[in-house]
């Protein structure tokens, strides 16, 4: 029997939105790569995360079609879940490297590097309305993060994410890794309003690291 937690990660200020995430806290329950790939495909979430060693924070992140070295929303969600169980982690370890974890009020933060983000294109549009008008997905190939300034002075961005990898995910509701990449490109902290109602906050650290943070809720049936 596989115990699965389903969360919504990067919820908006009103608690809406958020990207669904599957969490398998006992990675040993699905020990082989083929089984994990099959479960991730069956669930159909943009990502499912397997916790392999809680003491070390070792994790395995899967999309419905691939394994990821790093992703923001699975790490934020898992960190929040462990804290809710009274076991807040200080570090999580996806294949890319050690990720520092922090908590502030109802926000959960993870800190990584833009170099860890799998290849994807960021494309600026003239307005938030132009981003909103895009089909899901837009024509073309490869991972696309479409964005526009909603309030440039305040650092507020409107964004939508399109994996375009042929695995049934037409649009990703909230994407921490893409938010990290855009923050690196712009060189400033951002307040990203993504998808139908999600919010991702980012920070730039002096050592070049970038933190992404947001709210998490359990998903109700």
């Amino acid at each position: 029997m596989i115990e699965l937690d389903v969360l919504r990660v990067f919820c908006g200020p009103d608690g809406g939105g958020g990207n669904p995430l599957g969490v398998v806290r006992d990675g040993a329950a699905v020990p082989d790569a083929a089984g994990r790939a099959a479960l991730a495909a069956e669930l159909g979430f943009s990502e499912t995360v397997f916790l392999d060693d809680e003491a070390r924070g070792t994790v395995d992140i899967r999309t419905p079609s691939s394994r990821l070295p790093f992703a923001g929303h699975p790490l934020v969600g898992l960190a929040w879940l462990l804290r809710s169980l009274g076991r807040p982690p200080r570090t999580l370890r996806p294949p890319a490297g050690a990720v520092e974890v922090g908590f502030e009020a109802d926000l959960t933060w993870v800190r990584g590097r833009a170099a860890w983000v799998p290849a994807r294109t960021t494309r600026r549009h003239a307005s938030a309305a132009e981003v909103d008008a895009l089909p899901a997905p837009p024509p073309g190939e490869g991972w696309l993060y479409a964005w526009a300034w909603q309030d440039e002075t305040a650092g507020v961005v409107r964004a939508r994410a399109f994996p375009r990898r042929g695995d049934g995910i037409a649009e990703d509701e909230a994407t921490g890794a893409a938010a990290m990449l855009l923050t690196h490109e712009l060189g400033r902290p951002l307040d990203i309003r993504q998808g139908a109602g999600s919010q991702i906050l980012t920070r730039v650290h002096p050592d070049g690291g970038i933190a992404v943070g947001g709210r998490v809720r359990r998903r109700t049936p």
Side-chain angles (χ1 to χ4, degrees), residues 39 104 154 215:
L39 178 60
E104 297 174 8
R215 303 169 189 84

Side-chain angles (χ1 to χ4, degrees), residues 115-138:
W116 295 349
V117 177
R120 57 196 59 186
T121 298
T122 61
R123 182 173 299 157
R124 181 177 177 179
H125 290 260
S127 67
E130 192 173 297
V131 173
D132 289 339
L134 292 171

Side-chain angles (χ1 to χ4, degrees), residues 54-138:
E54 183 172 340
R56 296 196 68 251
T58 307
V59 301
D60 183 24
I61 303 170
R62 303 274 174 164
T63 75
S65 60
S66 63
R67 184 175 188 243
L68 297 179
F70 173 83
H73 113 272
L75 299 176
V76 168
L78 176 59
W80 176 91
L81 179 61
L82 292 175
R83 186 194 193 197
S84 76
L85 297 171
R87 307 192 298 271
R90 298 182 63 181
T91 305
L92 293 173
R93 290 182 169 84
V99 174
E100 182 180 336
V101 177
F103 303 96
E104 297 174 8
D106 65 342
L107 299 176
T108 300
W109 293 86
V110 300
R111 179 173 168 183
R113 297 191 170 275
W116 295 349
V117 177
R120 57 196 59 186
T121 298
T122 61
R123 182 173 299 157
R124 181 177 177 179
H125 290 260
S127 67
E130 192 173 297
V131 173
D132 289 339
L134 292 171

Side-chain angles (χ1 to χ4, degrees), residues 4-80:
L4 179 73
D5 295 279
V6 181
L7 311 175
R8 292 183 296 114
V9 183
F10 295 129
C11 297
D14 62 356
N19 198 3
L21 171 70
V23 181
V24 179
R25 279 184 274 151
D26 179 14
V30 192
D32 62 287
R36 293 182 178 193
L39 178 60
E42 178 184 350
L43 292 173
F45 301 137
S46 60
E47 279 120 19
T48 298
V49 61
F50 299 83
L51 180 59
D52 287 322
D53 185 333
E54 183 172 340
R56 296 196 68 251
T58 307
V59 301
D60 183 24
I61 303 170
R62 303 274 174 164
T63 75
S65 60
S66 63
R67 184 175 188 243
L68 297 179
F70 173 83
H73 113 272
L75 299 176
V76 168
L78 176 59
W80 176 91

Side-chain angles (χ1 to χ4, degrees), residues 170-184:
E171 181 169 353
D172 203 350
E173 172 63 26
T175 317
M180 181 178 290
L181 182 61
L182 183 62
T183 300
H184 173 73

